[in-house]
Amino acid sequence: NKGQEAAPLVIGNTMYIVTPFPNVVYALDLSKPGAPMKWKYEPNPEPAAQGVACCDVVTRGAAFADGRIFFNTLDGHTIALDANTGQPIWNA
């Protein structure tokens, strides 16, 4: 229901998708039929951030390095997740 400006990120057999607000991250297993979900991470950003977004509540997606997925939430957090498990490594 919101704008989407983020391309999916494919690393090996996994596709990572970051949604517009509330910035949920999905990891999908591309090696299996139907690309079932491997894990999901819900960061629960502050709802008030929606009111100050200039151009809809979009995200620019994720980045990958050193076995981690990095992404930003609408309320100004940068989060690193373990790419294999979806467990948070840090939230700044």
Side-chain angles (χ1 to χ4, degrees), residues 57-77:
V57 293
V58 297
T59 181
R60 299 293 186 174
F64 174 85
D66 301 323
R68 298 175 178 178
I69 296 295
F70 300 89
F71 72 104
N72 295 315
T73 61
L74 187 62
D75 63 349
H77 290 258

Side-chain angles (χ1 to χ4, degrees), residues 4 7-19 24-41 62 69 81-86:
Q4 180 62 289
L9 182 64
V10 177
I11 307 296
N13 290 326
T14 304
M15 177 184 288
Y16 301 93
I17 299 168
V18 182
T19 70
V24 178
V25 181
Y26 293 93
L28 307 177
D29 187 347
L30 301 179
S31 69
K32 297 181 180 171
M37 185 171 54
K38 291 173 74 172
W39 53 260
K40 174 173 88 169
Y41 177 78
I69 296 295
L81 305 174
D82 181 289
N84 290 320
T85 66

